[in-house]
Structures are given as C-alpha cells and as structure tokens.
Amino acid sequence: FPYTTLFRSQTLQAASAQMFPNSTDVNINQPNGHMYADGKELYHVESATARYSEKQKKVFFEQEVLFTKAATDTAPEGKVKTSQLEIDIPTQVAKTSQEVAYDYGASKGTATGFSYDKKNEVLHLDSRVKAIIYDQQ
C-alpha cells in the first residue's frame, strides 16, 4: 500500500490483508502506517484492524488506534489514542468523532472527537477538553 509523492512517502504495513471480488477495499489486520518527509518520520499510526478504500483514498483504522506525531526541533511528540481514526491520504487530514486521550509532551487531556490537518498544521478538538497542561520550556 505504499503511496509516494515528491519529498513525501507514506507506507502501510500489515500482518495480513484481504481483498474480496467486486470490491476495491482492502481489509487489513494489524496495520502499521508511517508518513515521512525529507527522510524524517512525521507520523505513525497503528491499530488492530483497518480498511483501505481505493475509491475514497482513505484508511479507516479501528480498535486500539494510536496516532503519534513525531517530535521536532520546536515541538514535543504528540500521541492520540482512540477507537477509530480516518485518514484522508490526499488531503492529509486525520479525524475521529470518538473519545480521544492525548499526550503532548508532558501535557495530557481527553476530548470527544478531533481532527488534525497536516497541510495547515492545525489540531482541532471537537468538544470540551479536560486537560493538564505543562509549559514546554
């Protein structure tokens, strides 16, 4: 399932995958997805199962989803745990309407629903947020 563009590379590895006749979807067991830019990992997402939709160009991760944004020179590592996560490959948007628990450096919190727009570097938490926030100094 590799998807590559200039300076960006996306890969999805799995323990196994199935595609049925008359379907363009691929059912995936133990998916492990990565997105890189300029040779550095940007994101990592894993779960128990997933479905890749060729028509929609989306991956739907389910069951024990862990989405990790790698640390950078200016920002700490960020992690989101949820039960479902949809990633739109062309737009580079990850989103869910489910409960999420997140860690951002030493800060932690919970919310219901979130979206992360990689192109614009915008994280949106859809509900009231319960958080413990620590200064990143």
Side-chain angles (χ1 to χ4, degrees):
F1 310 101
Y3 174 79
T4 304
T5 60
L6 188 63
F7 304 115
R8 295 200 188 281
S9 176
Q10 298 169 358
T11 62
L12 181 62
Q13 300 170 330
S16 65
Q18 298 173 318
M19 185 172 186
F20 296 101
N22 302 319
S23 176
T24 59
D25 289 358
V26 179
N27 297 319
I28 306 162
N29 293 311
Q30 299 175 342
N32 190 343
H34 298 267
M35 180 177 178
Y36 302 90
D38 301 322
K40 293 181 183 176
E41 183 175 70
L42 300 175
Y43 307 99
H44 175 224
V45 62
E46 57 188 299
S47 65
T49 64
R51 179 176 56 85
Y52 171 68
S53 171
E54 176 65 32
K55 260 185 210 174
Q56 295 177 298
K57 302 288 189 234
K58 293 181 181 180
V59 182
F60 300 89
F61 292 90
E62 295 190 1
Q63 301 176 27
E64 302 175 22
V65 182
L66 177 61
F67 176 83
T68 304
K69 179 185 174 297
T72 65
D73 293 339
T74 58
E77 178 181 78
K79 291 185 177 191
V80 174
K81 295 177 187 174
T82 187
S83 62
Q84 297 175 325
L85 184 67
E86 171 186 319
I87 297 182
D88 186 307
I89 296 170
T91 65
Q92 298 178 21
V93 172
K95 66 181 180 179
T96 185
S97 60
Q98 303 302 307
E99 295 286 321
V100 298
Y102 69 87
D103 296 316
Y104 183 70
S107 301
K108 299 179 182 306
T110 60
T112 300
F114 96 104
S115 62
Y116 179 71
D117 179 345
K118 163 56 186 133
K119 287 183 181 178
N120 297 307
E121 295 286 332
V122 174
L123 172 68
H124 177 78
L125 297 165
D126 297 342
S127 70
R128 294 192 104 165
V129 176
K130 294 179 183 177
I132 299 172
I133 301 171
Y134 294 97
D135 190 354
Q136 302 297 324
Q137 294 181 8

